[in-house]
């Protein structure tokens, strides 16, 4: 893991903060979503230097290049996040209730994933997409 400090330009800082807002990730959840330390989030806002790792992880989560150029649309980012969370939730339910042993077909599981994904995108759980 590269811990070298690099200068974060005001332009990149602005692009990151703007993208956080567009995507709907608040700063309190950024450390959890990107698997980074809270002090790095504070450094992003207040310091001129931060670790290369932090910039790479943050921009990757936000669908940006390490220079702040958009490489993935907000819509696609949200869809990808909803899908991964839906798979995780359905797999937890599947593990705890032994759905496979009850003869639940793979198509039924796929439908559960799609429904859960929609709930994360536009339904009851949309506020929990980035938590």
């Amino acid at each position: 893991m590269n811990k070298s400090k690099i200068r974060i330009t005001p332009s990149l800082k602005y692009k990151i903060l703007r993208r956080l807002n567009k995507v709907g990730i608040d700063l309190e959840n950024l450390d959890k979503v990107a698997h980074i330390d809270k002090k790095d989030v504070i450094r992003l806002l207040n310091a001129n230097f931060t670790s290369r790792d932090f910039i790479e992880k943050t921009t990757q989560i936000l669908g940006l290049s390490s220079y702040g150029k958009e490489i993935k649309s907000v819509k696609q980012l949200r869809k990808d996040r909803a899908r991964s969370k839906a798979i995780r939730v359905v797999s937890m339910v599947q593990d705890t209730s032994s759905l496979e042993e009850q003869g639940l077909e793979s198509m039924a599981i796929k439908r559960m994933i799609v429904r859960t994904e929609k709930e994360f995108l536009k339904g009851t759980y949309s506020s929990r997409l980035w938590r």
Side-chain angles (χ1 to χ4, degrees), residues 3 5 31 36-44 50:
K3 288 286 186 183
K5 301 289 181 203
D31 61 330
I36 52 175
D37 198 340
K38 283 185 180 187
K39 69 180 182 202
D40 286 323
V41 174
I42 294 167
R43 202 173 285 128
L44 168 71
T50 190

Side-chain angles (χ1 to χ4, degrees), residues 46-113:
N46 301 320
N48 291 328
F49 291 89
T50 190
S51 74
R52 183 178 311 275
D53 251 6
F54 171 69
I55 290 174
E56 289 172 1
K57 286 179 182 179
T58 304
T59 54
Q60 182 180 17
I61 289 292
L62 297 173
L64 300 172
S65 71
S66 57
Y67 299 103
K69 182 179 178 189
E70 183 179 302
I71 55 176
K72 198 181 261 191
S73 72
V74 171
K75 184 177 180 179
Q76 189 61 49
L77 265 177
R78 292 179 55 79
K79 186 171 174 58
D80 291 349
R81 176 68 178 188
R83 179 105 179 131
S84 69
K85 282 196 82 154
I87 290 169
R88 192 172 23 177
V89 167
V90 170
S91 68
M92 285 190 299
V93 170
Q94 186 179 7
D95 287 345
T96 59
S97 62
S98 303
L99 294 176
E100 285 180 338
E101 291 175 16
Q102 296 174 22
L104 195 62
E105 297 176 16
S106 65
M107 281 307 292
I109 292 172
K110 288 178 184 176
R111 283 192 301 272
M112 288 172 65
I113 290 170

Side-chain angles (χ1 to χ4, degrees), residues 20 24-34 36-38 41-42 45 130-131:
L20 283 168
I25 303 175
D26 58 9
L27 289 171
E28 294 152 3
N29 289 319
L30 179 60
D31 61 330
K32 295 174 193 120
V33 173
I36 52 175
D37 198 340
K38 283 185 180 187
V41 174
I42 294 167
L45 297 173
W130 295 103
R131 292 184 185 176

